[in-house]
Amino acid sequence: MTDPHGEQPVKKVRLLLAEDQSMVREALAALLGLEPDMEVVVQAARGDEVVGAVREQPVDVALLDIEMPGLSGLDAAALLRAEFPALKVVILTTFGRPGYLRRAMESGADAFLVKDAPAAQLADAVRRVLRGDQVIDPALAAAALSEGANPLTDRECDVLRAAADGSTNAEIAAALHLSHGTVRNYLSTAIQKTGARNRAEAVRTAGAKGWL
């Protein structure tokens, strides 16, 4: 393809777009496809399809929704970073949860944006990360600073995630290979740290803040 002036070929940026909602994914792919220097060459509906897709079809930038079946976008980003260190990763989210920002940066993401941002803003973010910039939605950055760090330890987060489906302490202990008493202690401290009245409320609070 040539540029608008017909002077020289334009090398297109190859994109992977992972989003479980097909209408949203197709709309984003169509909008990005209107950019003269971009092309969505791979689409995925599940987080656990992402790494395999990149192995089969190399891309320059992976655009990953956070909440997907099989594997979250954050977990997929960490796997991509480990196997394809040169690949740029942009995390997209519907929910501006401050805790997600910290986890996205820890996973090695190069950008963190809300999904309802204008397509031109997303395209600009893709170009910027390819230049080596880190791009963070300013509103999310401000919210993350005001919220502060996640007070929960990794193990407390594990226990709360396991408790989310109503599992008993014994079931959580078996699933995480912990003692019954250890699970009880983790739940107690997690409830205190989140200011909750019970485990269900602790799970809701931690989830709403993006800590889980």
Side-chain angles (χ1 to χ4, degrees), residues 25-105:
R25 185 177 67 250
E26 290 166 8
L28 277 174
L31 288 170
L32 289 168
L34 296 175
E35 298 293 325
D37 57 342
M38 294 184 190
E39 181 180 10
V40 177
V41 296
V42 186
Q43 295 187 35
R46 295 174 56 89
D48 52 8
E49 296 173 347
V50 168
V51 174
V54 176
R55 288 173 183 156
E56 293 183 8
Q57 184 76 276
V59 296
D60 304 302
V61 181
L63 306 168
L64 309 176
D65 182 30
I66 286 185
E67 298 183 352
M68 293 186 288
L71 200 67
S72 76
L74 297 173
D75 291 331
L79 293 176
L80 286 175
R81 177 63 66 222
E83 189 166 338
F84 308 98
L87 177 66
K88 301 298 184 180
V89 177
V90 175
I91 295 292
L92 303 174
T93 179
T94 302
F95 308 102
R97 296 171 180 168
Y100 279 164
L101 174 56
R102 173 175 169 271
R103 292 170 59 199
M105 296 303 101

Side-chain angles (χ1 to χ4, degrees), residues 48 189 201:
D48 52 8
T189 55
E201 188 175 306

Side-chain angles (χ1 to χ4, degrees), residues 90-167:
V90 175
I91 295 292
L92 303 174
T93 179
T94 302
F95 308 102
R97 296 171 180 168
Y100 279 164
L101 174 56
R102 173 175 169 271
R103 292 170 59 199
M105 296 303 101
E106 289 175 347
S107 72
D110 299 284
F112 187 77
L113 301 169
V114 289
K115 248 191 302 192
D116 58 2
Q121 183 177 327
L122 178 55
D124 180 63
V126 168
R127 297 183 185 102
R128 288 177 61 189
V129 298
L130 286 170
R131 293 197 300 264
D133 295 343
Q134 189 173 67
V135 184
I136 300 173
D137 181 278
L140 290 176
L145 287 173
S146 64
E147 187 68 46
N150 178 3
L152 301 172
T153 66
D154 290 344
R155 215 46 169 150
E156 288 163 357
C157 288
D158 290 340
V159 170
L160 282 183
R161 289 190 195 97
D165 62 358
S167 295

